[in-house]
């Protein structure tokens, strides 16, 4: 399917790994890949404002269809100019299909061929989300990239269950394509298949036959082991066409993202940097620390001496720990800025390394620091 | 008492009111008066960072001795360079004496001549705060202005109770002076006397006889009516010497601050702009709104068209209401920025008006807008 307003440009390929350096052209600007998308569930990356996102260098932000459909309602967002107008951020957005949140947040859900019936986690109200409604909502939200409606298959699941679900997701993807009216949004398909290689092969073949502008791997990081996840991603990524962006949904820690880049993935989103920050868990260039730990009580050093973020330039571990224990709301933003900066710096470094053909060394160096003794 | 590192310069007096335009010179820089101090209880103005304070134009920030003594402990703050180092904000701070918080937050408090025994609101641990300990803590915190230890007398109270308490506060003030070792902090005395004019006269006379670099009115906004508060402030402010800064503690709404400026007050602090923001109550140039109100659901206008803050330049009422109802932490900072900007703009305008000799008109114009029909 051609989309004149959306184009993926492959700029460089690494020598020793499958890592790729690319550029997404969208109606609201360019996105350098590999890219990490911060999660702006309800139209706001938790604790941050738009200036913070610009300072981070965020080019693409994810927003959640399920949340915005339930509150404030997609018609309110449409009336205020879609996500770009509502949030007042004239840069690229991606919306998911709502499927994942129905399975992880809502109650009383029931899957039929038509769609998914569920009860809102906010007020218990009953809803039926179908592929057609998902597209209607996502067209109202107006993101640059929208996702096909799928079932995020839980783990573990039987081959029979996964087969039936994966086949239904393909039928839903076709219905999304049929329902789509706007020509300025790129619809990405989602390859399912759970932990079964034959079903991943089938799903990839059938979904890519639709000639969509991008593809995602869904159903990863849903309870399987890290090794299973990485093995399945490494197996499935080469099933996707080289000339389209590849999005691994919902993954992961910094090392997971770097691992998947080596396997040829281009887009990532994950709540971990933001959610972990709000529980006091900080990523550093050589591991993780929890700021609540008593050892930081009078520690005048920054969270991570190798980090350039505002928080590390300005504040000590002692001050941040104090704010955290005192329940000061300001600290949640300071810690979020740090964790996201670490992701953005890692991805920036990854893009440079790929362009220079030395991603293998870059990846190995980060992995090596993680293995080093903790401070 | 002379303090070479602290000087109050009276720059202009209004023509038709008692309003004064001045400048405080402190070891960490100048403070233009009249000034509003945002409240940074635990060493952080709730939801904001240091850059936000600079953008607001905050020159003087209040921190609470009671909170910092209990957590992280004044010795931790001292070890990290006092408040200026701990917070990493090389601008003027003021600390209160801890008295007010003991009376409003702690449990099991018992007042004796020695000081106040109380149980921490955090962990129930038992403490005895004395004038000497209050000074020791405040010297460790290292603020530019420190406050004498006093009893904030509740309302209502009998003449006999207020007399005894006010006399004890004076004795405590003398003990603070005796305990004071640092010569780079200005100790302000606090005039008490409750709602009794004779006791205010006595307290002002005895306290100002100590020749301190500044004086505060305490025991206002503690349960009495707005009219009583304003009448007592108007009565007591002229009892303080012209050539020292006058600080009305814990007051108030924007209109209260402007009213008290007309009576000759110079320093203000209040949790209302920050606390109200966190409950969705916003001050505007012509009143107040609560962002939760359903009428703002699809309202594309800013909170206050006359406001220049980041929030009003960037976001609609509809978006802010949505974030508030969705429980997004980012909105608390956006609303706090707005409320404090309104205070800082009002105070900036007040200083200009006094310098131009037309504070009466400036004050009346704001009062007039408050009376105008609400949008």
């Amino acid at each position: 399917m051609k989309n004149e307003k959306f184009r993926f440009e492959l700029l460089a390929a690494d020598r020793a790994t499958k890592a790729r350096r690319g550029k997404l052209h969208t109606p609201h600007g360019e996105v350098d890949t590999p890219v990490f998308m911060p999660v702006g569930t309800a139209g706001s990356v938790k604790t941050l404002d738009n200036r913070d996102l610009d300072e981070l260098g965020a080019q693409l932000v994810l927003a959640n269809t399920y949340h915005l459909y339930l509150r404030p309602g997609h018609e309110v967002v449409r009336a205020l100019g879609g996500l770009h107008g509502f949030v007042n951020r004239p840069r690229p957005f991606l919306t998911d299909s709502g499927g994942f949140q129905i399975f992880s947040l809502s109650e009383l859900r029931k899957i039929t061929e038509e769609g998914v019936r569920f009860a809102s986690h906010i007020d218990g109200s009953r809803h039926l989300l179908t592929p057609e409604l998902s597209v209607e909502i996502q067209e109202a939200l107006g993101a640059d990239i929208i996702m096909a409606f799928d079932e995020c298959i839980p783990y573990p699941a039987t081959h029979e269950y996964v087969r039936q679900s994966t086949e239904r997701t393909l039928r839903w993807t076709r219905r999304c394509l049929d329902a789509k009216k706007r020509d300025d949004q790129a619809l990405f398909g989602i390859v399912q298949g759970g932990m079964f290689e034959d079903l991943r092969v089938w799903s990839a073949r059938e979904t890519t036959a639709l000639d969509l502008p991008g593809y995602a791997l869904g159903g990863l990081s849903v309870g399987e082991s890290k090794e299973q996840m990485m093995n399945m991603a490494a197996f499935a990524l080469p099933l996707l066409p080289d000339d389209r962006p590849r999005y691994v949904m919902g993954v992961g820690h910094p090392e997971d993202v770097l691992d998947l880049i080596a396997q040829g993935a281009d887009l990532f989103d994950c709540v971990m940097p933001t959610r972990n920050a709000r529980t006091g868990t900080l990523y550093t260039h050589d591991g993780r620390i929890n700021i609540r730990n008593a050892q930081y009580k009078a520690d005048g050093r920054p969270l991570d001496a190798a980090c350039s973020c505002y928080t590390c330039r300005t504040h000590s571990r002692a001050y941040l720990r104090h704010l955290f224990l005192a329940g000061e709301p300001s600290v949640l933003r300071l810690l979020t800025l740090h964790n996201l900066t670490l992701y953005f710096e890692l991805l920036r470094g990854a893009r440079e390394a790929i362009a220079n053909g030395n991603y293998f060394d870059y990846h190995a160096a980060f992995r090596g620091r993680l293995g080093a003794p903790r401070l």
Side-chain angles (χ1 to χ4, degrees), chain A:
Chain A
M1 181 182 179
K2 287 286 175 289
N3 187 315
E4 298 300 324
K5 285 156 183 153
F6 186 89
R7 190 163 55 88
F8 180 56
E9 189 182 0
L10 215 44
L11 299 176
D14 187 47
R15 287 177 305 173
T17 75
K18 295 176 187 153
R20 307 123 55 83
R21 168 82 177 87
K23 199 182 277 280
L24 286 172
H25 300 265
T26 84
H28 290 89
E30 298 177 347
V31 177
D32 292 297
T33 64
V35 65
F36 181 82
M37 291 181 271
V39 178
T41 298
S44 165
V45 176
K46 288 196 194 305
T47 78
L48 303 189
D49 69 24
N50 288 347
R51 290 190 297 193
D52 294 330
L53 294 175
D54 287 343
E55 187 172 301
L56 282 166
Q59 293 180 306
L60 181 58
V61 171
L62 181 144
N64 289 126
T65 289
Y66 169 87
H67 289 82
L68 291 165
Y69 162 67
L70 293 178
R71 186 169 54 195
H74 56 292
E75 292 302 346
V76 168
V77 178
R78 191 206 303 268
L80 288 153
L83 273 172
H84 300 92
F86 186 58
V87 178
N88 194 17
R89 182 167 169 82
R91 298 180 191 280
F93 277 99
L94 178 149
T95 47
D96 59 9
S97 70
F100 179 76
Q101 274 73 31
I102 289 179
F103 294 104
S104 60
L105 291 177
S106 74
E107 294 168 1
L108 304 169
R109 55 193 169 271
K110 185 172 186 314
I111 308 173
T112 63
E113 186 63 27
E114 188 183 10
V116 187
R117 291 188 186 279
F118 66 95
S120 158
H121 75 292
I122 299 170
D123 61 6
S125 58
R126 307 299 297 263
H127 301 268
L128 168 65
L129 190 57
T130 62
E132 291 77 16
L133 179 57
S134 174
V135 167
E136 182 188 327
I137 299 167
Q138 292 189 79
E139 293 199 331
L141 300 177
D144 301 80
I145 302 174
I146 66 177
M147 301 301 296
F149 189 64
D150 66 328
E151 181 192 356
C152 181
I153 302 167
Y155 179 86
T158 64
H159 189 278
E160 178 62 14
Y161 183 89
V162 175
R163 184 183 63 77
Q164 289 189 11
S165 170
T166 300
E167 290 175 2
R168 186 171 49 226
T169 284
L170 180 72
R171 292 191 295 273
W172 285 355
T173 302
R174 291 195 182 113
R175 282 166 58 190
C176 286
L177 260 178
D178 288 343
K180 190 174 182 315
K181 294 189 192 116
R182 287 180 65 155
D183 67 354
D184 57 349
Q185 297 179 299
L187 174 70
F188 280 23
I190 303 179
V191 170
Q192 292 289 349
M195 295 301 140
F196 300 102
E197 293 190 350
D198 61 326
L199 297 177
R200 288 281 176 183
V201 168
W202 182 88
S203 180
R205 190 185 66 215
E206 297 296 322
T207 308
T208 59
L210 298 174
D211 192 20
L212 297 167
Y215 300 98
L217 295 184
L220 296 176
S221 253
V222 292
E224 78 282 13
S225 72
K226 177 72 67 81
E227 193 185 358
Q228 281 178 298
M229 185 272 282
M230 288 305 307
N231 285 343
M232 185 48 75
F235 175 80
L237 281 166
L239 304 174
L240 303 177
D242 273 348
D243 63 347
R244 308 292 154 94
R246 302 161 175 166
Y247 169 21
V248 180
M249 304 180 82
V251 181
H253 290 299
E255 60 271 25
D256 305 330
V257 170
L258 292 195
D259 289 353
L260 288 166
I261 287 173
Q263 301 295 337
D266 307 301
L267 279 76
F268 303 91
D269 78 283
C270 190
V271 296
M272 276 196 277
T274 43
R275 183 176 293 163
N276 277 338
R278 300 198 305 282
T279 63
T281 299
L282 289 319
Y283 296 100
T284 69
H285 281 80
D286 54 11
R288 275 161 225 173
I289 68 175
N290 194 300
I291 197 61
R292 290 172 298 187
N293 200 309
Q295 71 183 289
Y296 305 127
K297 181 168 185 173
D299 188 337
R301 294 174 300 171
L303 291 174
D304 182 351
C307 178
S308 69
C309 79
Y310 170 73
T311 307
C312 287
R313 293 196 314 271
T314 311
H315 294 303
S316 65
R317 296 175 181 183
Y319 179 68
L320 296 168
R321 175 177 186 270
H322 160 64
L323 294 186
F324 198 94
L325 295 183
E328 284 292 325
S330 55
V331 77
L332 304 182
R333 174 167 164 269
L334 293 172
L335 299 181
T336 299
L337 283 173
H338 168 76
N339 269 358
L340 282 179
T341 298
L342 186 120
Y343 272 71
F344 279 90
E345 285 184 352
L346 270 185
L347 273 277
R348 201 173 291 121
R351 290 191 298 269
E352 282 175 23
I354 299 166
N356 296 330
N358 60 4
Y359 184 75
F360 183 89
D361 293 340
Y362 179 80
H363 184 201
F366 182 78
R367 275 284 181 194
R369 284 197 302 276
L370 281 195
R374 299 280 285 280
L375 290 178

